[in-house]
Amino acid sequence: MKSFWNESLENKLQFPEINENIETSVCIIGAGLTGLSTGYYLSKHTDVVILEKDKFCGSTSGKNTGKVTSQHGVFYKYLIDSNGKDFAKKYLNANEKAIKNIEEIVNTENIECDFEKESAYVFSSQENGIEQLKEEKKAVDKIEKEKCKYVKNIELPIQKAEAIEFENQAKFNPTKYAYGLTNCIINNGGKILENSKATDINKVGDKYEISVNDYKITADKVVIATRYPTINIPGYYFLKMYQSTSYALIADVKENLFDGMYLSLDMPIVSFRTVNDNGKKLLLAVGYDYKTGVEQTVNGYTKLEDTVKKMYPRAEILYKWTAEDCISLDKIPYIGEYSNLMKNLYVATGFNKWGITSSNIAANIITDKILGKENEYEEIFKSTRLEPIKNKDEFKNMLKEAKDSIILSKFKLPKDTIDSVENGQGKIVQVDNQKVGVYKSETGEVFTVKPVCTHLGCELYFNNHDKIWECPCHGSKFSYEGKALEVPGIKDLELHQHGEN
Ligand code: FES
């Protein structure tokens, strides 16, 4: 389903597909906010080509909350405890600087993206949560006095909620902002190519050769800005991160809405803000996240809708979508060199749901690296840090699942097997010792795939709420027909050839 943000860009500029071999100084893979922000800064200095496998801002960057904030939940106590006060202060400063940078870009480039200054609040109405808020307030005070305020009332209709407030934060429409960046990049002489999927990257001499559809791009430097990195070795990012899916909706609540941006600390975690729809104030709610690939018994849309209707009984739901985010195990993004073994290859990933400010931080760090400049924040986001990595058992399990899922490519799907799948549902069935992924549409049309992830071979499961195949290992998603939707899997699923039934 299209997000509200992506709908707001309907009929806007389309970019061409690659139709020739290209030589460039920098190739950026991924035209979300990180790729475009990096392209924005770099295109002022050198030639840049930005590749997008589908449509620009079509994935996470077009589906997020659009909150431009350094308040990342109750995060600063965790940062001080895990990395020390200086580290936490730098993290705060890096994110505050990113807010200023974004505002500056909006103003200097005249980008119409509903950018608006607002306070950000994290709130709780439960004893434990309130205790945590007080601890967080003390932690933030240690880093920067006066940065945050403790408030005993919030405008959101939640009984007895208390909160900590960060003033001077902002919100915007992320795809309109991204669209503004694309105009600047093109004006600077950069190229943006849509429907141009990078499937292979090889080092040839001092340069990189990238296979894109039927063409090659040769580049001195490459930036992987695909949310989840698609190169497995070296880098090993698949051992350091997982992906999380959240549900989002936009509602017309038919009553007055609040000022400010809110995030609940109590479970279930839900984020709230308002959006501007041609002068009308609507509610955006995002939450009920789950680790991608873990089967959900109840539809997250229903839960989110219920939460909104408890607060605003007359709410009418206008848009719904899901968003996927990449979570690093230590909760710090990875920004910088892809690996010590691959010079001139850069990465930005693991934004832990705070991709707006992180995308600008990443763009500045990577631009400085490419231009040979120091960046005061590069050390805290260092992408080549080794720890932590995932539990080795998960790795072994992944290999086992890959082995167990080897399937022959031709088979006949028996009628009783087809009958065992309800219309509108999908599942894995066993046919002659082969595992087959089957989806039956509402009208009874049958689609079969090999339920084996094209990233590293884990067995997929069918998400019956969203009608897609999901991978429990690193969160790739595929349509019921097998089309690769979300990275790190970039190749489509192999299709089973099933004879007449
Ligand atoms: Fe890595 Fe599926 S996403 S194996």
Side-chain angles (χ1 to χ4, degrees):
M1 271 165 270
K2 259 198 182 155
S3 74
F4 170 78
W5 308 126
N6 283 331
E7 288 282 352
S8 70
L9 271 193
E10 273 303 274
N11 307 321
K12 293 281 186 191
L13 190 65
Q14 306 274 326
F15 297 101
E17 194 173 313
I18 190 167
N19 60 5
E20 58 181 351
N21 294 334
I22 299 172
E23 286 203 17
T24 183
S25 167
V26 182
C27 177
I28 298 171
I29 303 176
L33 283 174
T34 301
L36 294 173
S37 303
T38 310
Y40 168 79
Y41 287 120
L42 276 174
S43 62
K44 296 177 179 182
H45 303 274
T46 187
D47 52 321
V48 171
V49 174
I50 304 177
L51 300 174
E52 173 54 52
K53 74 180 172 66
D54 300 309
K55 178 139 183 66
F56 88 96
C57 251
S59 191
T60 305
S61 296
K63 296 177 176 172
N64 56 43
T65 60
K67 289 181 176 178
V68 191
T69 178
S70 61
Q71 188 193 63
H72 296 176
V74 287
F75 195 49
Y76 291 96
K77 178 171 183 332
Y78 162 78
L79 273 186
I80 293 175
D81 291 348
S82 58
N83 293 282
K85 194 176 129 191
D86 289 348
F87 186 103
K89 184 163 178 48
K90 273 199 169 177
Y91 183 95
L92 175 66
N93 290 348
N95 280 280
E96 282 289 317
K97 178 84 174 23
I99 299 171
K100 289 199 180 80
N101 289 340
I102 291 169
E103 185 175 13
E104 193 179 305
I105 293 173
V106 169
N107 290 334
T108 53
E109 308 294 354
N110 291 318
I111 299 178
E112 287 179 15
C113 59
D114 304 321
F115 184 92
E116 207 182 313
K117 283 290 188 68
E118 266 199 335
S119 286
Y121 301 85
V122 54
F123 69 90
S124 170
S125 56
Q126 291 175 10
E127 210 176 307
N128 283 351
I130 288 175
E131 206 44 52
Q132 257 184 286
L133 290 178
K134 289 178 178 163
E135 290 293 316
E136 179 72 357
K137 162 90 170 84
K138 277 189 217 155
V140 179
D141 283 350
K142 274 190 211 158
I143 305 171
E144 189 179 319
K145 263 259 168 268
E146 317 281 313
K147 174 70 212 161
C148 95
K149 281 203 230 158
Y150 196 87
V151 293
K152 296 220 166 191
N153 284 307
I154 58 172
E155 288 188 28
L156 206 63
I158 305 271
Q159 294 289 308
K160 295 192 179 144
E162 300 185 13
I164 50 178
E165 175 185 5
F166 279 29
E167 291 175 316
N168 274 322
Q169 310 293 290
K171 64 183 182 184
F172 67 2
N173 177 325
T175 52
K176 285 187 179 170
Y177 174 71
Y179 174 64
L181 293 178
T182 64
N183 288 334
C184 302
I185 294 165
I186 302 288
N187 288 341
N188 291 340
K191 265 198 176 75
I192 299 169
L193 300 171
E194 290 182 329
N195 298 313
S196 302
K197 193 195 269 191
T199 47
D200 216 1
I201 303 175
N202 288 303
K203 191 104 209 250
V204 180
D206 286 348
K207 298 191 183 266
Y208 283 97
E209 212 171 75
I210 303 135
S211 306
V212 187
N213 299 358
D214 294 330
Y215 299 94
K216 294 255 184 261
I217 293 188
T218 308
D220 299 323
K221 298 175 199 275
V222 177
V223 181
I224 310 276
T226 51
R227 186 188 69 242
Y228 200 113
T230 47
I231 301 173
N232 298 315
I233 301 168
Y236 300 96
Y237 290 95
F238 62 92
L239 291 175
K240 307 173 194 172
M241 299 188 300
Y242 65 95
Q243 298 209 76
S244 164
T245 298
S246 311
Y247 293 88
L249 64 79
I250 293 272
D252 178 357
V253 303
K254 305 190 195 302
E255 56 185 286
N256 284 341
L257 274 164
F258 49 84
D259 287 329
M261 305 177 284
Y262 297 86
L263 178 69
S264 61
L265 180 56
D266 308 327
M267 299 304 276
I269 294 172
V270 181
S271 179
F272 302 95
R273 58 161 279 193
T274 58
V275 303
N276 172 14
D277 185 23
N278 295 318
K280 187 166 192 181
K281 210 170 177 181
L282 302 175
L283 173 74
L284 166 61
V286 181
Y288 286 93
D289 62 322
Y290 67 95
K291 183 171 179 271
T292 307
V294 174
E295 191 158 2
Q296 300 300 295
T297 46
V298 183
N299 189 340
Y301 288 127
T302 311
K303 292 190 272 188
L304 186 60
E305 200 170 320
D306 288 349
T307 298
V308 166
K309 286 199 167 156
K310 258 188 214 148
M311 297 162 71
Y312 300 102
R314 293 190 296 140
E316 182 192 349
I317 311 303
L318 304 177
Y319 297 87
K320 289 182 195 177
W321 68 91
T322 57
E324 191 161 28
D325 287 286
C326 207
I327 315 291
S328 63
L329 297 188
D330 60 4
K331 301 186 184 150
I332 318 279
Y334 288 98
I335 301 169
E337 283 81 11
Y338 199 91
S339 150
N340 290 328
L341 300 173
M342 288 181 97
K343 210 168 172 291
N344 295 329
L345 183 68
Y346 302 91
V347 69
T349 185
F351 291 172
N352 304 293
K353 300 183 188 285
W354 299 106
I356 306 284
T357 47
S358 300
S359 66
N360 184 273
I361 294 169
N364 275 289
I365 291 177
I366 291 173
T367 299
D368 285 348
K369 281 185 177 293
I370 287 177
L371 298 179
K373 290 194 210 159
E374 294 223 332
N375 183 294
E376 61 182 313
Y377 303 118
E378 65 180 68
E379 209 41 45
I380 62 168
F381 298 104
K382 192 170 178 174
S383 43
T384 49
R385 65 185 187 272
L386 289 177
E387 296 291 337
I389 64 167
K390 277 188 188 177
N391 187 326
K392 291 194 194 82
D393 288 346
E394 180 170 336
F395 190 50
K396 274 193 234 147
N397 190 27
M398 189 174 79
L399 296 176
K400 179 181 174 303
E401 281 173 344
K403 182 170 157 286
D404 289 351
S405 299
I406 292 171
I407 314 166
L408 302 174
S409 62
K410 254 206 164 90
F411 72 100
K412 182 171 163 86
L413 204 56
K415 183 167 181 320
D416 57 344
T417 304
I418 295 177
D419 290 347
S420 75
V421 185
E422 286 176 37
N423 283 13
Q425 302 278 296
K427 65 179 183 180
I428 293 178
V429 298
Q430 196 87 20
V431 183
D432 299 338
N433 293 327
Q434 303 172 49
K435 286 182 178 176
V436 182
V438 183
Y439 169 69
K440 207 198 265 182
S441 73
E442 296 292 351
T443 54
E445 199 180 351
V446 177
F447 298 85
T448 53
V449 298
K450 287 188 180 184
V452 180
C453 183
T454 55
H455 175 229
L456 283 170
C458 283
E459 184 172 306
L460 303 170
Y461 103 96
F462 196 77
N463 172 339
N464 275 307
H465 304 303
D466 296 331
K467 317 292 181 211
I468 52 173
W469 293 99
E470 287 189 6
C471 181
C473 288
H474 316 105
S476 293
K477 293 183 180 178
F478 303 87
S479 72
Y480 59 77
E481 296 155 299
K483 181 176 176 339
L485 300 175
E486 297 286 354
V487 289
I490 44 173
K491 295 199 175 128
D492 295 343
L493 297 180
E494 280 187 54
L495 301 185
H496 266 302
Q497 300 166 5
H498 59 96
E500 295 292 306
N501 285 292

